[in-house]
Every structure is written in C-alpha cells, then in structure tokens.
Amino acid sequence: MARPGAACPPPARRVVVAARALLFWALVYSYCGVCACIAGLRLLWSIGRRPGETFRWVVRENPPACLNDPSLGTHCYVRIKDSGLRFHYVAAGERGKPLMLLLHGFPEFWYSWRHQLREFKSEYRVVALDLRGYGETDAPSHKEYYKLDCLITDIKDILESLGYNKCVLIGHDWGGMIAWLVAICYPEMVTKLIVVNFPHPSVFTEYILRHPSQLIKSAYYFFFQMPWFPEFMFTVNDFKVLKSLFTSQATGIGRKGCRLTAEDIEAYLYVFSQPGALTGPINHYRNIFSCLPLQHHEVIMPTLLLWGERDAFMEVEMAEITRIYVKNHFRLTILSEASHWLQQDQPDIVNKLIWTFLKEETTRKRE
C-alpha cells in the first residue's frame, strides 16, 4: 500500500509489475492443473484396480487409548478474545515453569510431539498445540481465515492467554514456517527458536523458484490450491495417502527410525477421518501464494535447525543457506538416517540435541 503523497510508479513500471504478477499466477495455476491431472490419473488407476475399495473410508468413532495417555499431559482449551476461536492443546509440566510451545506440521496434530511432551516436562511447561483448523481446535470455514498473518497472531494471542510473555518456540514442517515468522514478527516473545525440517521462509521461496527438483517435491502446495478435490484424494482407499506418508519407503520413517505403531496410525486416522477435518489443514496452504514472495527478514535470537537428510519433501541444501538470515548463534544439525518426520523418527537424538542447545549460553555469537 502506497503512503499518502507518495509518487505513483511510472506507467512502464506498472505494466512490468502487472506482467510479472500475471506470469506468476499463470505458473501457479498451470502447475496446479498438472498436479490435478496426475492425481486424477491415480484415482482412475485405483478405480480400475479396486473399484469397491476406492470410495470406502471409515470415520473412526472412538479415539485410541494413546490420545488419552496421562503421561503425555492434560488436554486443555483456551479461547482467544480477538478471533473468538477455541484452541486445543496438551500441556505437561508444572505451571509457572518456562514455556515451551510446540507447533506441528501437516498432516499432523499435537500428538506428533508426544516424545517431547514426556521429555521436557521436568524443566518446562510444555504445550503442544493443535493449530487453527486442526484436531479439536476450531476450524473457520473460509480459506481467508488461514492467511499467514492470522496464524502468526494466533501464536502471540495464545502465548498471552496462557499467561506468558515469552517462550522457547519449536516448530516442525508447516509449524516451522509459522515459528520462523513468529520469531521475525515478535522477537521479544521468543527466547530461543528451534525449527525441524523447514528452512527460513525466504530461503524456501527463493530456492523453489530456482530448483525444479524442489518444485516437484513441493507439488502438493500447488495441488492444494484446488477446492475439495485434495480432501477427497486423502479419503480414497480409507486414507491410504495419509498412511503412506508415514509408512511408505519413499516418504515414511525409515527402518532405522522409531516407526509409528498401529495405534499411532489409528490416532492420525481418528483425527483426520472426522467430517471436514482435512479442509482446515489444507486451507493453510490455499493462502500461501498470495503471501509470496516474502521479504527477507532477520532472526535475532539463538536458533537451532534440525534436519532429516532423507526428507522426501525438502532438499537439505536449504538448511545451510538458512544460516545467512540468523543474526545470532546458529546451530545446524543434519541427521543422515532421518526422514521428514524427524521428532518422531529419531526422538532420542532430537531430544538430546534440543537439551544441549537449551543449556547453551544465549549470549554466544553466531557461528
């Protein structure tokens, strides 16, 4: 938005800006169409092979016992005054201890942090949140309510509603994107930043445009721009896509990782099989291109970036580039045998690395 009295750009510049915007959106929707065609072909293949099973999906009526495991903490709710939304979270550790706030990725929910809830409750008030639209947290119906500025404000408001003015902030995947932006927009609220398998947002937006291999790996960003069809594809063959994300050889936790149990898988199926449960999570992605390109912003607090080298969705080269945006102590650890689902894949190693980072002096200079 131009400032009052500011000079208008010359006509030639306006034409260039408009042409670039047109080209950008043409590329977005063209790739969206390509991804939709590929998904359609996969659907037809499934119908041809097993027509009876393709459209079978089951709503899980009762949660598995692991979701109510008392060792993980207490289920709590907080309603934000400004937005009016009610957020669900699981909290472990005594009130009054320093806050550790955990932000999950897609398609996950608070349960992806079960290993960290048990581990860090001895010294922290650990809060694993269901993000807007996920699990038991309210899910506004319109995609406009999932813009990045709304998601960032959610974290600030939740922090204040919990009675804290600062926290150790940890995010994985899409939750990592939000964590980076919260650290940039509200640095006074983040004492230390820990991100798992997501680069600085500026690194991601620049890298994806210059590396076709990452563009292919991020195809789901484009596929998710379509209405209703992505949600439908997740339900095919009783949520086969969801199961495969965590268990397949290509994208799942590897043989050297801490594989999900049958009960863990049922926990995910219970949450995402509920009517409408996938629309909120996918709506997060339906706003991403309207926010691009993100400006380059510096991160000023000590930062730990953890990365599973076998990540099927994010190329490891982005991890090292992230270093240039952190103007404080920056530690990067890449785990060669780990997948995208790092905090579930290698929980013991991840927890040890986090402990080491938390106990380091915050006044250390950037490495």
Side-chain angles (χ1 to χ4, degrees):
M1 183 178 294
R3 297 189 304 273
C8 294
R13 179 171 174 77
R14 291 201 300 269
V15 170
V16 171
V17 171
R20 286 179 176 176
L22 180 62
L23 179 60
F24 174 77
W25 286 107
L27 289 172
V28 168
Y29 285 111
S30 295
Y31 195 24
C32 174
V34 170
C35 295
C37 289
I38 294 172
L41 291 173
R42 288 176 177 171
L43 177 61
L44 292 174
W45 175 257
S46 178
I47 293 172
R49 291 183 63 198
R50 289 176 292 207
E53 296 183 15
T54 297
F55 301 106
R56 182 183 67 84
W57 60 282
V58 178
V59 175
R60 275 66 179 176
E61 299 291 345
N62 300 307
C66 62
L67 292 183
N68 293 307
D69 183 347
S71 72
L72 296 178
T74 305
H75 290 260
C76 307
Y77 301 86
V78 61
R79 188 172 296 278
I80 305 303
K81 291 182 180 179
D82 289 343
S83 67
L85 298 179
R86 189 185 76 156
F87 284 78
H88 168 253
Y89 63 92
V90 172
E94 297 175 7
R95 288 186 172 89
K97 290 182 176 179
L99 179 65
M100 176 182 287
L101 186 59
L102 309 174
L103 310 180
H104 63 79
F106 174 90
E108 298 176 291
F109 62 114
W110 71 265
Y111 187 69
S112 68
W113 297 109
R114 59 196 176 280
H115 302 292
Q116 288 68 44
L117 283 162
R118 292 190 182 101
E119 178 70 21
F120 295 101
K121 65 183 180 182
S122 60
E123 294 190 21
Y124 289 88
R125 174 69 169 174
V126 188
V127 170
L129 187 68
D130 274 343
L131 295 174
R132 177 184 291 222
Y134 282 83
E136 295 184 57
T137 291
D138 286 348
S141 58
H142 200 279
K143 71 175 185 178
E144 293 298 314
Y145 292 106
Y146 295 86
K147 288 185 175 180
L148 284 174
D149 57 350
C150 296
L151 307 179
I152 298 166
T153 303
D154 282 346
I155 306 307
K156 178 184 76 72
D157 291 344
I158 287 166
L159 197 70
E160 294 171 348
S161 297
L162 293 176
Y164 287 86
N165 56 22
K166 58 185 178 180
C167 70
V168 172
L169 185 60
I170 306 180
H172 169 247
D173 183 69
W174 186 259
M177 161 80 90
I178 298 173
W180 282 113
L181 295 175
V182 170
I184 290 165
C185 296
Y186 301 104
E188 71 281 359
M189 303 187 94
V190 182
T191 57
K192 287 195 172 185
L193 175 66
I194 301 170
V195 179
V196 184
N197 280 77
F198 201 94
H200 187 286
S202 293
V203 173
F204 179 68
T205 55
E206 292 171 358
Y207 190 91
I208 194 173
L209 294 174
R210 297 175 181 174
H211 296 80
S213 56
Q214 181 59 55
L215 191 67
I216 292 171
K217 290 180 179 180
S218 301
Y220 61 97
Y221 277 66
F222 297 85
F223 179 53
F224 286 171
Q225 302 311 304
M226 298 186 65
W228 72 264
F229 191 44
E231 289 94 320
F232 169 73
M233 287 300 296
F234 267 93
T235 67
V236 167
N237 291 317
D238 196 28
F239 299 92
K240 181 180 178 180
V241 170
L242 183 63
K243 299 172 192 173
S244 296
L245 282 173
F246 296 104
T247 62
S248 72
Q249 185 174 358
T251 64
I253 296 173
R255 61 183 179 85
K256 294 186 178 181
C258 184
R259 293 189 177 186
L260 272 61
T261 66
E263 190 176 36
D264 292 335
I265 295 296
E266 278 303 309
Y268 279 89
L269 292 175
Y270 168 76
V271 167
F272 289 106
S273 70
Q274 304 306 312
L278 283 159
T279 299
I282 293 176
N283 274 342
H284 281 246
Y285 291 88
R286 288 182 171 133
N287 288 285
I288 185 65
F289 292 111
S290 63
C291 302
L292 295 178
L294 297 173
Q295 295 182 1
H296 300 175
H297 291 292
E298 296 179 348
V299 175
I300 62 173
M301 69 284 302
T303 301
L304 171 65
L305 179 58
L306 300 176
W307 204 280
E309 193 172 21
R310 292 182 57 255
D311 191 327
F313 308 101
M314 294 282 172
E315 295 190 351
V316 70
E317 288 77 11
M318 291 188 287
E320 183 59 40
I321 302 172
T322 291
R323 183 183 298 272
I324 67 176
Y325 292 103
V326 180
K327 306 305 177 183
N328 202 309
H329 171 54
F330 176 78
R331 181 177 294 278
L332 167 63
T333 301
I334 299 171
L335 303 181
S336 60
E337 296 295 332
S339 70
H340 177 75
W341 320 104
L342 187 56
Q343 78 274 22
Q344 301 184 77
D345 186 327
Q346 304 284 347
D348 293 340
I349 297 175
V350 167
N351 291 345
K352 183 178 179 180
L353 291 168
I354 292 175
W355 273 127
T356 300
F357 176 71
L358 292 175
K359 293 180 183 299
E360 289 176 339
E361 290 295 329
T362 59
T363 55
R364 287 186 59 183
K365 293 182 179 180
R366 177 186 168 209
E367 292 181 345

